[in-house]
Amino acid sequence: SLPSPCILRKRGQLDGNGRTRADAKTAAQEWAQARGLEAPVYTVIGREGPDHAPSFRVRAQVARLGAEEATGASKRIAEQAAAQSLLSRAEGRGGDQK
């Protein structure tokens, strides 16, 4: 069975209107697409640490918005964090970059 809306809201997976919140990469892609921009480009710019505990540094970039970098224990985590930083920047600028 699917998790109840109450559980999803506690986990931060529902927005204020009760809809499922997209992950940051999906939200960043949707934000760019809604403004006629290319999808974000993710580039691994660094990897440190031993094989059993790596740390990845990723850059996420959207034309006309710029780039943000983030670090995570996996590429996916770092990409999500960089996408979230891009979204935060977009919201700080009013979100209507054209």
Side-chain angles (χ1 to χ4, degrees), residues 3-44:
S4 74
C6 216
I7 290 171
L8 291 173
R9 189 169 289 111
K10 283 182 180 178
R11 291 182 187 165
Q13 295 172 330
L14 290 182
D15 65 15
N17 298 316
R19 293 182 302 236
T20 302
R21 179 179 296 150
D23 65 58
K25 283 182 68 175
T26 301
Q29 182 170 344
E30 290 172 351
W31 181 92
Q33 183 178 18
R35 287 153 184 82
L37 301 173
E38 295 291 322
V41 175
Y42 298 91
T43 307
V44 176

Side-chain angles (χ1 to χ4, degrees), residues 12 25 44-46 50 53-54 57 67-68 70-71 82-83 92-96:
K25 283 182 68 175
V44 176
I45 57 173
R57 185 141 191 92
E68 290 289 334
T71 302
R93 292 186 177 181
D96 287 328

Side-chain angles (χ1 to χ4, degrees), residues 33-92:
Q33 183 178 18
R35 287 153 184 82
L37 301 173
E38 295 291 322
V41 175
Y42 298 91
T43 307
V44 176
I45 57 173
R47 183 191 184 282
E48 296 180 349
D51 288 342
H52 68 278
S55 176
F56 294 90
R57 185 141 191 92
V58 171
R59 176 182 295 127
Q61 187 165 0
V62 173
R64 292 186 259 161
L65 181 59
E68 290 289 334
E69 296 179 5
T71 302
S74 71
K75 290 178 195 176
R76 182 182 181 284
I77 291 170
E79 288 171 347
Q80 290 289 340
Q84 185 59 56
S85 293
L86 276 177
L87 289 170
S88 295
R89 179 194 289 193
E91 291 171 2

